[in-house]
């Protein structure tokens, strides 16, 4: 069969381009896989990072554009497939068809050939996952989980304030978008922001950095103005409180002095006032009292039926005499 020379001429450069692009893509995927090494950087508290920090940095910084593009398109297609394709039903369908065919072949072989067809293909030893491969996979899963745990804590405790602010804005927008956006739509928006955000920043880094610097300058100027104003009002309030405290202290001192002076001055008694027996005694001497100052002591038992001092006196032996003072 003869081959058209024109076709070879046209297909030669195209095939060469395809081979060249395939080689570059394979090389970038290899570079992306080799980037899973523990970075030299550490957290603010000195904790070492996982190798997934280097991997995701290399992936999302578009150091390998072909690998990142294929990863982005694959993730978007997976989201659409999970939304519109009944993948779980297909999985169960494939499973029951495979098991049904196996059962029919086994039973049919035993009835026709006295030996099952499925059992004849049974291996001498079932396949098992090597321990080394399983441990490597579990270690990789552990590193992946720790990557998300560490990054969440770094954002939560504001190790880098711009990242914390960006996470706040993203969570705030997600809170409002989830009310009228389905989960797959929100996932699609998140993937687009995660992949395309760094690309937009790197393409316009000078302009974005200039905007951020201007915004930082404005915020710092406003913060300085607010701090100076707060210091001014605080100093004025402190001076006012000190002046009030001095006034009240002087007034309290004058009140206390006047009270002490009034208590030290002698008080003259009015004329004709009879001094009490205890008041006639001089200093250091005991007061003198008369017997008439005390009541008569009762000399008989209480009379039953009498409910008051008057009745007790009238029925006693002192009835009709001068009433003793009680």
């Amino acid at each position: 069969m003869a081959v058209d020379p024109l076709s070879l001429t046209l297909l030669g450069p195209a095939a060469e381009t395809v081979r060249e692009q395939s080689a570059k893509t394979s090389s970038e995927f290899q570079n992306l896989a080799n980037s899973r090494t523990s970075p030299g950087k550490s957290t603010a508290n000195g904790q070492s990072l996982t190798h997934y920090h280097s991997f995701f940095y290399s992936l999302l910084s578009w150091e390998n554009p072909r690998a990142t593009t294929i990863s982005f398109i694959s993730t978007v297609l997976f989201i659409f497939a999970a939304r519109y394709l009944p993948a779980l039903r297909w999985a169960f369908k494939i499973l029951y068809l495979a098991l049904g065919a196996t059962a029919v072949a086994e039973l049919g072989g035993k009835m026709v050939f006295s030996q099952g067809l499925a059992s004849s293909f049974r291996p001498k030893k079932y396949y098992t996952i090597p321990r080394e491969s399983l441990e490597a996979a579990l270690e990789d899963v552990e590193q992946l989980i720790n990557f998300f745990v560490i990054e969440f804590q770094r954002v939560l405790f504001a190790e880098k304030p711009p990242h914390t602010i960006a996470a706040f804005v993203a969570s705030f927008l997600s809170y409002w978008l989830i009310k009228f956006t389905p989960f797959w739509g929100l996932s699609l928006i998140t993937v687009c922001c995660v992949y395309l955000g760094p690309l937009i920043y790197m393409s316009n880094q000078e302009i974005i950095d200039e905007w951020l610097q201007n915004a930082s300058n404005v915020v710092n100027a406003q913060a300085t103005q607010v701090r100076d104003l707060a210091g001014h009002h605080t100093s004025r309030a402190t001076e006012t409180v000190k002046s009030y405290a001095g006034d009240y202290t002087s007034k309290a001192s004058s009140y206390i002095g006047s009270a002490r002076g009034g208590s030290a001055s002698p008080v003259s008694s009015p004329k004709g006032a009879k001094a009490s027996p205890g008041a006639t005694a001089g200093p250091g001497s005991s007061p003198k009292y008369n017997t008439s100052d005390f009541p008569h002591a009762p000399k008989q038992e209480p009379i039953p039926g009498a409910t008051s001092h008057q009745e007790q006196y009238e029925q006693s032996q002192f009835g009709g005499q001068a009433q003793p003072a009680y």
Side-chain angles (χ1 to χ4, degrees):
M1 180 179 180
V3 180
D4 188 4
L6 182 60
S7 300
L8 291 175
T9 304
L10 294 176
L11 291 177
E16 185 65 26
T17 303
V18 170
R19 285 196 299 268
E20 182 180 354
Q21 294 298 325
S22 299
K24 290 182 178 179
T25 304
S26 301
S27 176
E28 289 189 3
F29 273 108
Q30 187 64 34
N31 294 335
L32 186 62
N34 295 334
S35 66
R36 293 195 303 172
T37 57
S38 298
K41 298 180 180 180
S42 59
T43 60
N45 54 10
Q47 186 176 358
S48 60
L49 302 176
T50 65
H51 60 255
Y52 272 103
H53 285 83
S54 302
F55 173 78
F56 282 114
Y57 178 81
S58 177
L59 177 66
L60 300 178
S61 62
W62 295 79
E63 293 180 354
N64 303 291
R66 294 175 180 82
T68 304
T69 303
I70 294 175
S71 173
F72 172 61
I73 295 175
S74 301
T75 306
V76 172
L77 291 178
F78 175 78
I79 293 174
F80 278 107
R83 171 63 181 85
Y84 293 104
L85 297 180
L88 190 60
R89 286 188 59 195
W90 288 355
F92 282 116
K93 184 176 182 180
I94 294 173
L95 182 62
Y96 85 74
L97 287 177
L99 295 177
T102 302
V104 170
E106 181 69 16
L107 295 177
K110 286 186 177 181
M111 287 188 298
V112 177
F113 304 104
S114 300
Q115 182 180 2
L117 295 179
S119 58
S120 61
F121 294 99
R122 184 186 304 136
K124 296 180 179 180
K125 184 179 180 181
Y126 290 113
Y127 175 77
T128 58
I129 300 176
R131 181 177 180 179
E132 294 77 10
S133 301
L134 187 60
E135 290 179 352
L138 292 177
E139 183 180 359
D140 202 53
V141 172
E142 176 192 1
Q143 292 287 320
L144 180 60
I145 295 174
N146 286 331
F147 163 77
F148 289 105
V149 172
I150 292 175
E151 285 303 307
F152 174 76
Q153 293 178 90
R154 294 176 70 185
V155 170
L156 180 63
F157 295 107
E159 182 173 323
K160 294 182 178 180
H163 294 178
T164 303
I165 296 173
F168 159 72
V169 174
S171 58
F172 180 76
L173 294 177
S174 300
Y175 169 76
W176 291 104
L177 288 175
I178 198 63
K179 292 184 176 181
F180 51 87
T181 304
F183 180 73
W184 70 271
L186 189 61
S187 301
L188 184 62
I189 294 173
T190 303
V191 169
C192 292
C193 292
V194 168
Y195 276 91
L196 300 180
L199 181 61
I200 295 173
Y201 172 74
M202 289 185 296
S203 302
N204 306 276
Q205 185 173 0
E206 295 182 359
I207 300 175
I208 296 176
D209 288 344
E210 184 179 358
W211 288 352
L212 293 177
Q213 185 63 35
N214 293 335
S216 178
N217 294 335
V218 171
V219 171
N220 290 334
Q222 294 295 327
T224 303
Q225 184 178 1
V226 170
R227 184 167 56 251
D228 295 341
L229 186 62
H232 175 67
H233 286 292
T234 302
S235 62
R236 291 188 59 184
T238 303
E239 293 176 358
T240 304
V241 170
K242 286 183 178 179
S243 63
Y244 281 129
D247 294 342
Y248 289 139
T249 302
S250 61
K251 289 182 180 179
S253 300
S254 63
Y255 290 155
I256 293 173
S258 61
R260 288 179 178 177
S263 62
S265 61
V267 180
S268 60
S269 59
K271 294 182 178 180
K274 189 176 181 179
S276 59
T280 58
S285 62
S286 60
K288 298 179 179 181
Y289 297 97
N290 298 324
T291 56
S292 60
D293 294 334
F294 301 95
H296 294 285
K299 297 182 180 180
Q300 63 179 12
E301 297 292 332
I303 301 174
T307 58
S308 64
H309 294 290
Q310 183 67 26
E311 293 179 357
Q312 290 280 353
Y313 174 74
E314 291 177 355
Q315 298 180 17
S316 65
Q317 61 182 353
F318 298 103
Q321 299 180 8
Q323 297 183 4
Y326 288 99

